[in-house]
Amino acid sequence: MFATRNAIKVAARSFSTATPLRSKVAVLGAAGGIGQSLSLLLKANSRVTELGLYDIVNTPGVAADVGHVNTLSNVAGYTAKDQDGLKKTLEGAELVVIPAGVPRKPGMTRDDLFNTNAGIVRDLAQACADVCPQAKLLIISNPVNSTVPIATEVFKNAGVYDPKKIFGVTSLDLVRASRFIGDKLGKIVDVPVVGGHAGITIIPLFSQVEGLELTKEERDALTHRVQFGGDEVVKAKDGLGSATLSMAFAGARFADSLLRANAGEEVLEWSFVRNDLFKDEGLEYFSTYVKLDKDGVKEVLPLPESISEYEKELVKAAIPELLKTQKKGVSFVNGN
Amino acid sequence: MVSVAILGAAGGIGQPLSLLLKLNTNVTKLNLYDIVNVPGVAKDVSHVATNSEVTSYLGPAQLAAAVTDIDLAIIPAGVPRKPGMTRDDLFKINASIVKGLVEAIAENSPKAFIGIISNPVNSTVPIAAEVLKAKGVYDPKRLFGVTTLDVVRASRFVRDIRPEIDSAGLRVPVVGGHSGNTIVPLLSLASTKVDLSQKEVEELTHRIQFGGDEVVQAKDGAGSATLSMAYAGSRFADSIIRALNGETVVEPTFIPLEADAEGAKEIRALGAGDLEFFAVPVELGREGTKRIVPLGSVTEFESAAIKVAAEALASNIATGVNFVKSSSA
């Protein structure tokens, strides 16, 4: 049913050097907490031919470091001080991954980051629209529920919008869901997670996991844990930030899905993308099952009919929240 | 079924290294230890969807627990270089750190394999050896200085001047030590024949020897290699883990030569002389170092470089040994 996911193998020996298509990937925010480890994982991915790293500071150091890893890709690092640095980072990019921005502190929601990160994403999206409008955008910067609409409006205004190419990265919710039921199930399997990427908009579909039997209490607890998994890490880091390492893993995994699709593989993923599943409610974005191909989104799939009543309620509750954050993002760009 | 402890898990190397080892499906238990911040790092890494259990150990009071029932300890703990510093400048701080950590391993998991990343490796590995000897648990087959990054750099830098070469597949033996001119890449023995002019050999050799400085410079005060070191450290750990699982694995590493006294004769004759420690290609097995892999013949240039390395190493090793001897006096 689902395409089997292979965990990214970072040990040098497991690389196949016979992979066909190779691609340039740009990372915007490459010197940050997520960006650094993400850059390393992308450097280790044999499907990446070239890596462009951009941040406001420190990127040359990160590039020199990561550049010593003995895989085929070449790495270049630029900062705002470099003339045309952002342009050079983006030129020829197949994928642009955007972790740039500030992370949460304890007690903050992802929406609390809006004021700082909205402008960052808008400006970076503008550069992408100018330099590499054909590239797929993988947006990690929170709040994803708003930054995806922001990037979209920027692309629309620039006349280069392609709904198949802008993705809100929700992979970490998928990773957490798999992990949190791992002990119960005795193995790691894919768990579909749909909706959005904040609190109650995160909807794990445990009903779709074969062989998983949960009591009502377990289901509620696990759902809550997946929804607030990010808060768990923010709290544990006690002011020092939010998930960086697990986010880097999740981001690299989603980038790899796109690269594999680019190379002709049939890939099923879950991502926060433009679709009409809840058009009647006015919703333009919803994370759902997405088939990928070399152009990005090949097909958006509706939620399975077999989802539980509980999950249907979660979807209902998520919609007004998603509408709010969508409008906030759109208004930020268009001022209305 | 392998338990790994990372000592210094919240640092610049430790964090990405923890992530990479969490991704290693042969690891069943990951113990993350540091003096600050490690609960957050552990919680972060624990969300990665692989089967290993991640546990956080914070501060000296929890060190013993961190290193109990482990198969492998990897030690990146310590401070990194700033521009202008040599690895020896780190010595005073990192020497005490490594001594304390190895003491705990000796007391709690005396049979654990120990992989030391903390610089200066040329001295911290001898420190570890002296500590293990003093505790009566020394096994030269289970102690390693991680020199993998030099090997990674060697193949990468060759590719920089010969882009047609598949650097991920290229193996260049690197012998000697882990700093400046103690690093001796044996380009003539590369797994794929590479045609290099003498000038290219010299430039490559120099670049490999000072690859670390390249990154320290580029980071401009913000540290030394962390990501590439994590990558190399993870590769080294993976070799040990596969060996523990019964595979025969070859990994270049800085070891006590008595781990294979017979096999060491070749490198001793090539210039290592009576040195107690030297980096060589090692075949690993369930008990650790099984044997030193024979090199064959080296060029005159390489032979001279080995001798220069040996001389510098002698002094680095003595520094490490004396540190332990004088602190227990």
Side-chain angles (χ1 to χ4, degrees), chain A residues 65 68 70-71 176 244 246, chain B residues 44 47 153 155-156 226 228:
Chain A
D65 188 350
H68 283 182
N70 60 339
T71 49
R176 285 177 176 140
T244 49
S246 49
Chain B
D44 188 351
H47 284 182
R153 284 177 178 145
S155 63
R156 177 68 198 176
T226 48
S228 49

Side-chain angles (χ1 to χ4, degrees), chain B residues 159-233:
Chain B
R159 190 188 172 269
D160 281 346
I161 62 169
R162 291 282 187 280
E164 70 277 9
I165 288 186
D166 166 20
S167 62
L170 179 70
R171 296 272 175 267
V172 177
V174 181
V175 299
H178 185 58
S179 68
N181 64 4
T182 66
I183 297 171
V184 185
L186 303 177
L187 293 161
S188 69
L189 297 176
S191 58
T192 310
K193 178 105 182 58
V194 191
D195 261 307
L196 298 165
S197 69
Q198 184 54 29
K199 183 160 178 284
E200 284 172 324
V201 167
E202 285 168 21
E203 285 171 355
L204 264 175
T205 299
H206 189 265
R207 196 181 171 207
I208 294 164
Q209 291 178 332
F210 296 95
D213 293 62
E214 222 173 89
V215 180
V216 172
Q217 280 298 327
K219 289 200 174 186
D220 200 23
S224 56
T226 48
L227 304 170
S228 49
M229 184 65 241
Y231 174 84

